[in-house]
Amino acid sequence: MEQIAITGIAAEGKAIAKYNDWVVFVPFVVPGDVVDIQLTRRKNSYAEGRAVHFHKYSEVRTEPFCEHYGTCGGCKWQILPYPEQIRYKQQQVTDNLTRIGKVELPPIAPIIGSKKTEFYRNKLEYTFSNRRWMTQEELQSGETFDDMNVLGFHIPNMFDKVMDIKQCRLQADPSNAIRLEIKNFCLKNGFSFFDLRNSSGLMRNIIIRTSTTGEIMLIVVFFENDMEKITALMQHLADKFPAITSLLYCINQKANDTITDQEILVFKGNAHIFEEMEGLKFKIGPKSFYQTNSEQAYELYKVARDFAGLTGEELVYDLYTGTGTIANFVARRCKQVIGIEYVTEAIEDAKVNASLNGIDNTLFFAGDMKDLLNTQFIAEYGRPDVIISDPPRAGMHDDVLDTILFAEPQKIVYVSCNPATQARDLSRLDVKYKVTRVQPVDMFPHTQHVENVVLLELKV
Ligand SMILES: C[S@@+](CC[C@H](N)C(=O)[O-])C[C@H]1O[C@@H](n2cnc3c(N)ncnc32)[C@H](O)[C@@H]1O
């Protein structure tokens, strides 16, 4: 398709163009670009494609800051200036709440942008592979490339292809230095990089976690149990990076990458790092969830607490509490908080975090929300005055919404990472609740993701 004008941004971060009756989704372009598109997929009402030639560059376009832009799946929006990115996110929230929610809305507050637009993540995971992703230029160069070992990010939708990362601008140093040192050490010493198709090789993944307290956790995941090589690498890292306060490793011989069911061993330092917020300490183990943009998590939690309007007398339910961060964050401003979450280890962390901070008015329960939160639970632990809910992208299950409607809290603070499912749930709650405040928050610059906090108040 030739000379096609890009006209908008779609929910999933790709840009859109119109062609006859079709909507065409195209990555790595922005509204205002005029391009030739090669179709990669065709359905009845829409198509997907990629820009193969630019006739005109949009006036809003900016230079990408990352050398991996265009191949790496992260930071897709870096060709849009940040003010444009958050304008689209604000629009995304408005569109979802009005078109899907169809509920009466107050004015939507201007989105809270992220002060840091680079190096804002506190956690990154890199994968080893012996099948390096080759760029178009490399393939067309006719050169032969001997070294196919890489340590980097998966190419979107290709489980066995990994692109080599030279510098990632998502996590502050020494994140890049650690990754590069590990790769060099493994290459120099002939350590085998993982073969994702045949499940073989020594080196599998690394996970780097940083914190606003300055602590650093590194988890090196091996596939083979070769203690001589494992010790050599871990000792080298301990010597080279004394700043790592929690140096861990794991031997994962399963088919999949997740380490939540694996034993994590301490090579040096502590088994955890700490994150801090308003003097509260949060202990983060290698398997614990913590919001990946710490500074913006604080902004988000302040909005949620402000919307809850606590006086010290309330019983608060914190649904989908994770490691109890919101529950502990609001605990000092209310009578009691009950946190519910289905990951048992997260609930254990939540309890540890409460006691670490001398908080004794929280109760935490592990279980699937739709099973645990029912009329019996409410009868036993009391009707909440305020419910704070921060569900996963899928939103809340119908049974959970029914129980909330039965419980009739005065206020519901609904924190969401997916305004589309949030809008759907708001329309279900509309029978008894009125939306009185809406505050979008940007946690992930250069991506299409947006968080949105909504306050619902019981209709009189
Ligand atoms: C968006 S996170 C919220 C985390 C937490 N509020 C925070 O800020 O750190 C959603 C949480 O819901 C949990 N979860 C997902 N589905 C669930 C379910 N059916 N029942 C209970 N918890 C669930 C996930 O494990 C995750 O911890």
Side-chain angles (χ1 to χ4, degrees):
M1 292 166 17
E2 290 176 357
Q3 303 246 12
I4 306 293
I6 303 297
T7 52
I9 296 274
E12 283 311 309
K14 291 180 178 172
I16 43 178
K18 297 264 171 62
Y19 182 74
N20 296 333
D21 288 340
W22 278 351
V23 175
V24 188
F25 297 94
V26 193
F28 305 123
V29 292
V30 297
D33 286 340
V34 178
V35 293
D36 292 344
I37 298 171
Q38 182 172 47
L39 291 188
T40 50
R41 191 167 183 219
R42 226 169 110 168
K43 293 271 177 188
N44 284 343
S45 59
Y46 75 93
E48 290 172 14
R50 62 189 177 90
V52 287
H53 178 72
F54 283 78
H55 291 276
K56 179 178 165 242
Y57 286 111
S58 166
E59 277 161 21
V60 298
R61 198 175 240 282
T62 185
E63 276 298 305
F65 54 74
C66 175
E67 64 184 294
H68 303 298
Y69 176 77
T71 312
C72 176
C75 306
K76 282 202 199 88
W77 278 15
Q78 59 185 285
I79 44 171
L80 271 180
Y82 190 58
E84 283 294 302
Q85 294 180 20
I86 54 175
R87 192 171 68 78
Y88 280 112
K89 294 189 190 201
Q90 179 92 19
Q91 192 60 45
Q92 192 187 325
V93 170
T94 310
D95 289 351
N96 278 300
L97 295 197
T98 47
R99 289 182 198 157
I100 304 173
K102 296 195 173 74
V103 296
E104 202 185 317
L105 292 172
I108 297 176
I111 185 166
I112 300 175
S114 178
K115 281 182 207 79
K116 279 189 193 157
T117 58
E118 292 179 28
F119 306 109
Y120 62 79
R121 282 185 70 99
N122 55 31
K123 184 181 175 193
L124 279 184
E125 175 161 354
Y126 295 101
T127 305
F128 289 88
S129 169
N130 62 357
R131 277 174 225 276
R132 182 160 72 86
W133 173 255
M134 307 283 282
T135 61
Q136 286 293 328
E137 295 79 60
E138 284 173 334
L139 288 172
Q140 282 160 6
S141 71
E143 275 180 61
T144 46
F145 295 88
D146 295 335
D147 190 6
M148 294 302 281
N149 287 326
V150 288
L151 176 55
F153 293 132
H154 278 279
I155 295 287
N157 306 324
M158 298 210 185
F159 87 98
D160 64 334
K161 289 287 190 317
V162 173
M163 70 174 297
D164 201 36
I165 296 293
K166 297 195 170 61
Q167 199 207 10
C168 176
R169 300 177 74 86
L170 278 171
Q171 188 175 37
D173 270 335
S175 179
N176 282 296
I178 291 171
R179 187 195 62 255
L180 293 172
E181 187 63 34
I182 293 175
K183 184 185 168 201
N184 286 340
F185 184 93
C186 292
L187 286 177
K188 213 164 91 192
N189 291 284
F191 287 12
S192 53
F193 286 41
F194 201 53
D195 186 317
L196 286 143
R197 281 194 209 161
N198 304 321
S199 285
S200 61
L202 174 66
M203 304 303 305
R204 195 161 186 178
N205 303 90
I206 59 169
I207 299 156
I208 304 172
R209 298 185 83 156
T210 44
S211 150
T212 53
T213 58
E215 289 173 294
I216 300 167
M217 174 183 284
L218 170 66
I219 311 160
V220 184
V221 185
F222 300 91
F223 181 68
E224 291 163 357
N225 188 353
D226 183 336
M227 277 323 289
E228 199 179 318
K229 286 182 176 159
I230 291 175
T231 310
L233 172 62
M234 298 307 287
Q235 191 54 53
H236 177 74
L237 293 169
D239 297 340
K240 190 92 189 170
F241 296 102
I244 299 175
T245 51
S246 174
L247 183 55
L248 314 177
Y249 70 98
C250 162
I251 301 163
N252 176 12
Q253 298 185 316
K254 290 180 306 165
N256 66 42
D257 273 353
T258 52
I259 54 162
T260 44
D261 53 355
Q262 299 290 296
E263 189 184 6
I264 314 280
L265 300 148
V266 177
F267 186 81
K268 188 185 156 210
N270 302 318
H272 52 262
I273 53 175
F274 285 103
E275 190 51 86
E276 231 174 67
M277 203 181 263
E278 275 187 3
L280 289 176
K281 283 190 152 212
F282 296 106
K283 187 175 170 186
I284 302 174
K287 298 176 186 178
S288 309
F289 172 83
Y290 194 83
Q291 295 277 356
T292 41
N293 180 342
S294 305
E295 280 93 342
Q296 282 304 92
Y298 181 41
E299 297 303 321
L300 185 76
Y301 293 166
K302 277 193 292 187
V303 172
R305 187 176 62 189
D306 174 41
F307 279 13
L310 303 171
T311 63
E313 293 305 312
E314 296 83 0
L315 170 60
V316 177
Y317 279 18
D318 179 29
L319 308 185
Y320 310 91
T321 190
T323 46
T325 326
I326 296 181
N328 286 312
F329 188 70
V330 302
R332 291 195 176 130
R333 310 252 178 127
C334 61
K335 197 157 89 193
Q336 191 177 37
V337 194
I338 292 178
I340 306 177
E341 154 70 41
Y342 73 6
V343 177
T344 318
E345 291 87 353
I347 284 296
E348 291 313 311
D349 285 343
K351 290 178 187 167
V352 169
N353 284 331
S355 78
L356 195 70
N357 290 290
I359 295 170
D360 57 8
N361 61 339
T362 49
L363 279 178
F364 291 103
F365 298 92
D368 193 327
M369 198 64 65
K370 69 177 182 341
D371 305 326
L372 199 59
L373 185 74
N374 53 27
T375 51
Q376 234 176 312
F377 186 92
I378 309 268
E380 193 169 341
Y381 295 99
R383 265 177 201 273
D385 302 294
V386 177
I387 287 183
I388 300 174
S389 184
D390 184 7
R393 288 188 68 73
M396 289 194 266
H397 191 279
D398 269 351
D399 294 354
V400 177
L401 290 166
D402 283 341
T403 310
I404 292 177
L405 286 168
F406 164 82
E408 285 191 348
Q410 278 303 318
K411 289 177 187 166
I412 303 169
V413 180
Y414 190 156
V415 183
S416 166
C417 54
N418 184 350
T421 54
Q422 183 184 42
R424 180 204 63 204
D425 294 348
L426 294 185
S427 69
R428 281 273 275 114
L429 294 167
D430 191 52
V431 276
K432 287 190 182 174
Y433 287 89
K434 184 175 160 45
V435 175
T436 55
R437 291 177 80 179
V438 182
Q439 177 65 69
V441 180
D442 184 25
M443 311 275 285
F444 302 108
H446 313 301
T447 75
Q448 74 276 19
H449 297 290
V450 59
E451 292 276 324
N452 191 41
V453 192
V454 167
L455 172 63
L456 297 118
E457 292 183 79
L458 194 60
K459 290 178 183 169
V460 278

